Amino acid sequence: QAPGIVVRSDGTDVSLPPHLRDFRAAAWTQDERFLALVTRFAVTVLDVASLERYDDEGGGLRSVTLPLNARDVAWR
């Protein structure tokens, strides 16, 4: 993985905002609408459509951050 980049199953990438670039693990939902990132002290779930707008416009990121200590993440 490149710093600050996550890659979709089709090979296209999405850039992350600076505060989420130091992630340890990532998991996409099956439809790739949501992305979960494990950081040092939390798990953040992102709406990918808002993440794509964040790249272009610099704002509007929709996310939920859970204060969980995790090493990995997976959708079920």
Side-chain angles (χ1 to χ4, degrees):
Q1 94 193 13
I5 302 289
V6 289
V7 180
R8 294 183 179 98
S9 61
D10 67 3
T12 60
D13 59 46
V14 178
S15 297
L16 298 172
H19 70 281
L20 292 173
R21 290 184 178 168
D22 188 25
F23 66 94
R24 297 175 178 199
W28 295 93
T29 55
Q30 186 172 1
D31 61 8
E32 295 186 352
R33 289 180 49 212
F34 296 95
L35 173 66
L37 298 174
V38 176
T39 60
R40 187 171 178 195
F41 298 109
V43 174
T44 299
V45 178
L46 301 153
D47 176 320
V48 175
S50 76
L51 183 59
E52 290 167 339
R53 285 191 304 273
Y54 181 94
D55 290 343
D56 295 337
E57 301 168 8
L61 183 64
R62 293 183 52 190
S63 64
V64 175
T65 299
L66 307 167
L68 300 172
N69 186 3
R71 292 177 189 235
D72 203 359
V73 64
W75 291 94
R76 295 181 188 241

